[in-house]
């Protein structure tokens, strides 16, 4: 038997990643052409005995599936291997977007008001420093995943503009967010 491991669950570029093929016993005859890759290619096979490594280079958008075919390697008794279970790697190079909501259209005091930032997908790394406020300050960030809330405290007379900066949060693939449209 053969098991594939080491592949990431998600990627956001066409950079190669490494995969390990571990056979249940020492085999011979295994070659790079015995690896089937959907939406990518395999190269740089190395290893001996039961453990081999190779690189997979994604072609671009679309999931990448890797499998070791059956009957491509033999043990000392001449028995052919079984096929590996396929490993699928998600290709995601789409940056998350973010929209702001909940801000009042007009205020007449310096009392804080709440704003909601809703990302198009779950993100991490978002912090209050990712919010730019003109004529006010942001504080009290809360939330997880795709939805966060924070308070805006106006400085005084004048319009208050709030924007979420670009590249302040990342999705599971490591893609940076795009900037929000400003809210005034």
């Amino acid at each position: 038997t053969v098991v594939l491991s080491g592949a990431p669950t998600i990627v956001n570029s066409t950079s190669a990643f490494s995969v390990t093929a571990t056979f249940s016993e020492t085999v011979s005859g295994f070659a790079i052409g015995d690896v089937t890759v959907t939406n990518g290619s395999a190269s740089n096979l190395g290893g001996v005995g039961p453990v081999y490594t190779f690189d997979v280079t994604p072609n671009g958008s679309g999931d990448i599936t890797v499998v070791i075919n059956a009957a491509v390697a033999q043990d000392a008794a001449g028995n052919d291997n079984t096929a590996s279970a396929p490993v699928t790697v998600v290709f995601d190079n789409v940056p998350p977007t973010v929209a702001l909501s909940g801000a009042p259209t007009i205020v007449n005091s310096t009392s804080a008001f709440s704003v909601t930032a809703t990302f198009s997908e779950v993100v991490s790394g978002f912090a209050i420093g990712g919010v730019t406020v003109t004529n006010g300050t942001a504080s009290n960030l809360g939330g997880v995943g795709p939805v966060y809330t924070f308070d805006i405290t106006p400085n005084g007379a004048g319009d208050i503009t709030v924007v979420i900066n670009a590249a302040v949060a990342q999705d599971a693939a490591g893609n940076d967010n795009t900037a929000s449209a400003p809210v005034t």
Side-chain angles (χ1 to χ4, degrees):
T1 61
V2 60
V3 175
L4 297 173
S5 62
T9 55
I10 191 166
V11 296
N12 66 359
S13 73
T14 56
S15 296
F17 56 86
S18 182
V19 177
T20 300
T22 305
F23 289 87
S24 58
E25 58 185 303
T26 298
V27 295
S28 61
F30 183 55
I32 197 66
D34 302 329
V35 179
T36 298
V37 180
T38 303
N39 198 34
S41 59
S43 61
N44 301 325
L45 179 66
V48 293
V51 180
Y52 295 84
T53 59
F54 55 91
D55 293 334
V56 173
T57 304
N59 288 343
S61 294
D63 294 347
I64 303 104
T65 303
V66 182
V67 67
I68 304 297
N69 302 317
V72 297
Q74 294 73 38
D75 64 12
N79 298 306
D80 289 334
N81 69 287
T82 58
S84 71
V87 170
T88 300
V89 177
V90 174
F91 186 91
D92 175 6
N93 66 346
V94 177
T97 59
V98 59
L100 296 173
S101 62
T105 55
I106 192 166
V107 296
N108 63 0
S109 74
T110 56
S111 297
F113 57 87
S114 183
V115 175
T116 300
T118 304
F119 290 87
S120 59
E121 59 186 302
V122 172
V123 296
S124 62
F126 183 54
I128 200 69
V131 181
T132 296
V133 182
T134 303
N135 197 31
T137 57
S139 61
N140 300 324
L141 178 67
V144 294
V147 180
Y148 295 84
T149 59
F150 52 90
D151 292 336
I152 300 296
T153 303
N155 288 343
D159 291 347
I160 302 111
T161 302
V162 181
V163 67
I164 304 296
N165 301 318
V168 296
Q170 296 74 37
D171 66 12
N175 297 305
D176 288 332
N177 70 286
T178 59
S180 70
V183 170
T184 302

